[in-house]
Amino acid sequence: MAKILFRLNGVPDDEANDVRELLADNAIDFYETSAGNWGVSMPAIWLTDESQFQKARALLDAYQNERTDRMQEEYARLKRQGKHKTLIDAAMQNPVLFTVHLALAMLVIYLSARLVLDLAP
């Protein structure tokens, strides 16, 4: 019976490719499901043989620990060099989108507060 190993929601392409390569290199049979045409299905990597789950999970855990360490080192290096991305950098990169998101967030906060205050006696 198939067993889910790795959900692909919000996973960067390089990480998903690394996981596929890791499984293929270790002769672990898997298949992948996509989000579908409407994006409502669950994109994931599934194992075809449930007996390989422990081995695959151990490999994946080791990979994710190594990736976490590598990403933290990369962030620390960028921060030391002053090249890490800040909120101001994101706003300057796309000011219109940033302004729209900020306005929508403020609208939600305003409407929520107004609703609570209108219901108060």
Side-chain angles (χ1 to χ4, degrees):
M1 180 169 201
K3 184 164 181 147
I4 190 166
L5 176 69
F6 189 69
R7 286 179 174 77
L8 295 172
N9 289 349
V11 173
D13 290 337
D14 67 318
E15 184 177 3
N17 290 334
D18 288 347
V19 170
R20 291 180 196 106
E21 186 177 315
L22 178 71
L23 295 174
D25 289 348
N26 287 281
I28 297 175
D29 295 328
F30 68 94
Y31 66 94
E32 192 172 332
T33 54
S34 69
N37 293 336
W38 298 97
V40 294
S41 297
M42 182 175 55
I45 293 177
W46 299 74
L47 298 180
T48 55
D49 183 4
E50 195 173 335
S51 66
Q52 293 180 316
F53 182 76
Q54 293 301 326
K55 178 183 176 186
R57 186 79 251 165
L59 289 168
L60 187 58
D61 289 344
Y63 165 76
Q64 288 181 323
N65 289 334
E66 181 270 327
R67 181 177 172 87
T68 298
D69 293 342
R70 193 174 70 236
M71 293 294 114
Q72 287 174 345
E73 289 170 6
E74 176 71 11
Y75 177 75
R77 183 183 63 77
L78 290 172
K79 193 170 183 180
R80 279 192 308 272
Q81 294 174 350
K83 296 180 180 177
H84 67 292
K85 191 173 184 179
T86 64
L87 180 62
I88 294 171
D89 295 332
M92 298 307 266
Q93 185 177 10
N94 196 341
V96 174
L97 186 62
F98 181 80
T99 304
V100 168
H101 286 156
L102 184 61
L104 287 172
M106 292 173 65
L107 178 65
V108 167
I109 291 169
Y110 169 76
L111 292 174
S112 299
R114 180 157 180 184
L115 175 67
V116 169
L117 293 174
D118 286 348
L119 292 176

